[in-house]
Amino acid sequence: MLPPWLTEPLWDQSAALLPKRPKFDPAHPLGCHRRRIGDRIVFDKLLQVLRFGCSYEAIADTTCSASTIRNRRDEWMQLGLFTRLKQITLDAYDRIVGLVLDQIAVDGAITKAPGGGEAAGRSPVDRGKQGMKRSGITDGYGIPLGRVLSGANCHDSPLLAPTLDILVGLGPVPDEITVHLDAGYDSAKSRAVLGERGLRGRIAHKGTKAPVQATQRWHVERTHAWQNAFHRLARCYERRISVIGAFFDLADTIITVRSLIRRAWTTHRWDTRPRRRP
C-alpha cells in the first residue's frame, strides 16, 4: 500500500474538492436508510485497486461493497475529481519545483488489456492478444503531463499529433520547445506535425543503435515504468476509456506528488515532512 506521507495529502486535497453529502439519503420514502459509506473509505479502496490491480469484488469487505466502489468512482468522475486533482498537483509542482517544459518527451507503451474494451486492439508484441497503447508526454524530468489511449495495434506516429495537443491545455509554455522522440517517429509526417506546432524535434534515426543516439527521451520511458507499477494500468480490465483515464489521472497525481515531496525535501520544511528522504 502507499505510505501515509503520500496518501494523506492526496486525500486532504480530494476531500476539499468533494461536495458535502448528508449521512442519510434524504430521498428515502421512510426517512431512514443505511449510512452513506465514508468517502475516505472508498478513496482508500480505489487506491488499492489501482496499486494492486485486483478486482472490485476482491477488495470489497464489510466496510464497503464492490457496487459502492464502482458507483462512487463514477460519481467522482462526473464531478471531474480526478482531472481537477491532477491539474492542482501539476500547478503545485510547477509553483514549487518548476516544470521543465522546454524539453519534453513523447513515447508509446503497450500493456495488456485482457477484458478488451474501447481502448483495446490486437497486440503486435503479445501474439495478437488484446492490448492497449498509451502515448504519453512528460516534461524534461519525467512528470506526466497527459496521454492518449488507443488499441495496441495503432502505430506511435499517428498518435503524435493528439499527444502534442495536450500542451495547449497547460497554459503558457516556452517559445522554444524540443521534443525528444525515438526511431518510431523518424518520418516526414512526424516532422511535419512538429513543424506545424512550431516545435523542434530531436528524433532518433532508424538503423542506428540506441546507445549511440540516446537523448532525454529516457525520462518518458522511466515514467512508463512508474505507471506500470500500478497494476491496474499494466494489466487493464476496464472497458471504458473514461474509467481508464480516471485511473491514469490518479496514478499521475500520485507520481507527481511523490516527485514533489522528494525534490522539495531538501529545500523546504513543513510540519509533516518525512524524517528521511522518500
Side-chain angles (χ1 to χ4, degrees), residues 22 76 79 103 107 125 132 140 153 165 169 172 195 219 256 260 275:
W76 291 348
L79 293 173
Q103 304 287 332
D107 195 16
V125 296
M132 178 180 66
N153 54 342
D165 290 341
H219 290 290
T256 306
L260 173 60
R275 295 184 179 180

Side-chain angles (χ1 to χ4, degrees), residues 28-211:
H28 195 273
L30 299 180
C32 60
H33 196 61
R34 292 182 301 174
R35 287 180 178 269
R36 176 182 170 90
I37 303 298
D39 289 333
R40 179 59 191 270
I41 296 176
V42 182
F43 187 78
D44 288 340
K45 294 294 184 183
L46 282 176
L47 290 180
Q48 294 176 41
V49 170
L50 174 65
R51 178 63 181 88
F52 302 123
C54 51
S55 65
Y56 298 103
E57 287 74 14
I59 208 65
D61 53 21
T62 56
T63 63
C64 184
S65 66
S67 298
T68 300
I69 300 175
R70 293 192 187 93
N71 294 337
R72 201 71 58 88
R73 175 204 66 192
D74 293 341
E75 176 184 330
W76 291 348
M77 286 169 51
Q78 292 179 358
L79 293 173
L81 172 66
F82 304 107
T83 303
R84 295 169 62 191
L85 190 62
K86 177 190 173 184
Q87 187 59 49
I88 291 173
T89 306
L90 278 178
D91 293 341
Y93 183 94
D94 191 24
R95 184 174 62 254
I96 298 173
V97 178
L99 292 170
V100 186
L101 295 179
D102 60 335
Q103 304 287 332
I104 65 174
V106 177
D107 195 16
I110 295 177
T111 55
K112 295 179 180 294
E118 299 174 354
R122 290 176 56 86
S123 176
V125 296
D126 195 16
R127 297 170 293 175
K129 296 180 180 180
Q130 291 294 297
M132 178 180 66
K133 171 169 285 190
R134 64 175 181 268
S135 176
I137 180 173
T138 68
D139 78 332
Y141 180 75
I143 300 301
L145 305 176
R147 96 294 310 174
V148 174
L149 302 176
S150 67
N153 54 342
C154 183
H155 194 268
D156 290 344
S157 182
L159 299 177
L160 179 60
T163 304
L164 292 175
D165 290 341
I166 296 175
L167 293 174
V168 178
L170 296 179
V173 295
D175 294 334
E176 295 185 356
I177 300 178
T178 301
V179 184
H180 298 270
L181 304 166
D182 62 16
Y185 301 91
D186 187 14
S187 65
K189 183 178 180 180
S190 296
R191 291 182 174 84
V193 170
L194 295 171
E196 293 171 356
R197 291 161 176 77
L199 305 174
R200 295 184 300 179
R202 190 172 181 185
I203 307 175
H205 297 289
K206 296 178 181 178
T208 305
K209 294 184 179 180

Side-chain angles (χ1 to χ4, degrees), residues 262-275:
R262 285 177 174 175
R263 301 191 69 183
W265 190 87
T266 57
T267 58
H268 293 72
R269 296 292 184 270
W270 61 94
D271 295 338
T272 57
R273 175 176 178 267
R275 295 184 179 180

